Amino acid sequence: TFTNLSSGADSYTWAFERGSPSISSQQNPTVTYNNEGTFNVSLTAKSGTNEDVELKTDYITVGSSGGPLSVDVVADPSTTICELGSTTLTATASGGSGGFQYTWTWDIDNQTVNGNVLSITSLTQSTNVYLNVVSGTQQVSETIRITVEDNPPASVVGKGSPERILICPHPELEYQWFRNNTMIDGANKQFYYPGSAFDLSGTYYVLTKNTTGCQSFSENYTVGINKGTELEKSEFISVYPNPASSGFNIDLNPELLLNEVQDYNIEIYTLSGMKVWEKSFSPGFNLKIAPPVNLSSGLYILKLSGDNMVFDTKKLLIN
């Protein structure tokens, strides 16, 4: 409220810079200021044809009701995302005069977005995001770095003729194999071997994930072989002579032995399950083995395993 100290006047005209009202003829007007700043006030007093003007320069100073302007930015899920990923930035301002104007820009395409929420999708490269907040005569700026991590490679190759093992040729990742669009339980190694008794035909792909949590799906890999004679064409091991009367040999198929399997194991069991011989080896080992064991007449089971998986079994008859 402004108090008029004039005397001898019969009319008054007030002028309030950026005030509401900006002009008043009341003797003692009340004025509201909605903007921060420093403003002039003038009063013109009249009596007949006489008038007197009083100008007060920078007379009214309007400050922030909430203190200095500040802004906090939260990223969901994070400021580090995977290639082609998305994130949402939410800005919350405080202080200032209570009314906030948010403006976002970023490096990649120089877009400008208004509002306190910015959603960015399908990013393929890292970028800086710039936020400017204005409240009255105050403003504050923030720079947010959005880092885009590369997705891991993902592809599938087959080994054997026809294929008996599917491999993702990219090491040091996490893996999950799928067949006909269904996740295969427990198939989380760099290679996938369904077993000789399994119908291998179908469409396969692998999901890979790296240490930053980014992931990729491979292209589909179609396998067209079924149970039966086709699978027998591609064996991990062969035993000869079989039946055998004394010594026998074990041949390993170099096309199917995987460098990804650190230790293989060959074992011979009786039909009652008693182990009578075993040997461990790594890929690159001599591919022909003559077990130095004397077996009594009967039927035996020879098993090739590694990485807690059984790759092949063979029956061996000793006469």
Side-chain angles (χ1 to χ4, degrees):
T1 299
F2 291 82
T3 301
N4 188 339
L5 300 178
S6 304
S7 61
D10 52 27
S11 66
Y12 311 94
T13 301
W14 294 86
F16 305 103
E17 182 184 11
R18 302 296 296 276
S20 178
S22 60
I23 301 294
S24 176
S25 60
Q26 295 181 8
Q27 184 174 358
N28 300 306
T30 297
V31 181
T32 300
Y33 288 88
N34 295 316
N35 300 97
E36 296 177 33
T38 301
F39 310 113
N40 301 332
V41 176
S42 68
L43 171 61
T44 301
K46 290 185 178 181
S47 177
T49 59
N50 298 319
E51 68 176 29
D52 188 28
V53 178
E54 179 77 13
L55 173 64
K56 297 289 188 180
T57 302
D58 297 336
Y59 187 63
I60 296 295
T61 298
V62 180
S64 168
S65 60
L69 177 63
S70 63
V71 64
D72 181 56
V73 179
V74 176
D76 183 20
S78 173
T79 55
T80 299
I81 61 175
C82 299
E83 185 179 357
L84 297 178
S86 61
T87 191
T88 299
L89 303 178
T90 302
T92 303
S94 60
S97 60
F100 307 109
Q101 179 180 349
Y102 302 84
T103 304
W104 306 84
T105 58
W106 59 94
D107 286 338
I108 295 178
D109 50 15
N110 293 320
Q111 290 191 47
T112 298
V113 174
N114 296 319
N116 73 311
V117 177
L118 174 67
S119 294
I120 303 177
T121 61
S122 302
L123 277 182
T124 59
Q125 64 187 72
S126 300
T127 183
N128 287 328
V129 176
Y130 307 100
L131 170 64
N132 188 65
V133 182
V134 176
S135 179
T137 59
Q138 297 187 60
Q139 68 175 2
V140 64
S141 298
E142 290 286 338
T143 299
I144 303 96
R145 180 67 174 174
I146 305 298
T147 301
V148 176
E149 299 282 355
D150 291 336
N151 290 333
S155 59
V156 178
V157 296
K159 293 196 74 172
S161 179
E163 300 97 327
R164 287 289 293 278
I165 298 179
L166 303 179
I167 303 173
C168 177
H170 310 290
E172 299 179 359
L173 299 171
E174 295 181 23
Y175 311 90
Q176 177 60 60
W177 290 87
F178 293 77
R179 177 177 181 264
N180 296 336
N181 294 319
T182 300
M183 185 177 70
I184 305 171
D185 289 339
N188 51 18
K189 298 181 182 296
Q190 188 177 352
F191 59 91
Y192 175 63
Y193 168 64
S196 59
F198 192 83
D199 182 354
L200 189 60
S201 64
T203 300
Y204 292 82
Y205 58 88
V206 65
L207 169 67
T208 61
K209 183 184 294 186
N210 59 21
T211 56
T212 61
C214 298
Q215 59 186 30
S216 296
F217 285 97
S218 71
E219 297 291 333
N220 289 339
Y221 189 97
T222 300
V223 176
I225 62 173
N226 297 311
K227 300 177 185 178
T229 57
E230 284 189 292
L231 285 175
E232 297 302 321
K233 297 176 184 177
S234 183
E235 299 175 327
F236 286 85
I237 55 177
S238 59
V239 183
Y240 64 93
N242 189 11
S245 58
S246 56
F248 58 92
N249 296 286
I250 301 172
D251 281 3
L252 305 172
N253 187 341
E255 288 188 356
L256 297 179
L257 295 181
L258 301 176
N259 291 328
E260 292 79 11
V261 178
Q262 295 184 356
D263 292 300
Y264 282 96
N265 199 43
I266 296 180
E267 301 163 308
I268 298 177
Y269 291 87
T270 65
L271 290 183
S272 64
M274 183 178 69
K275 185 191 300 183
V276 295
W277 181 82
E278 70 174 328
K279 184 175 184 63
S280 297
F281 66 96
S282 299
F285 179 78
N286 186 352
L287 300 178
K288 294 183 180 295
I289 303 173
V293 59
N294 293 319
L295 300 177
S296 57
S297 298
L299 187 62
Y300 296 85
I301 301 297
L302 191 149
K303 180 173 72 173
L304 174 67
S305 61
D307 269 4
N308 298 316
M309 299 178 67
V310 176
F311 290 100
D312 210 349
T313 58
K314 286 288 182 292
K315 293 179 181 179
L316 171 63
L317 179 61
I318 301 295
N319 291 326

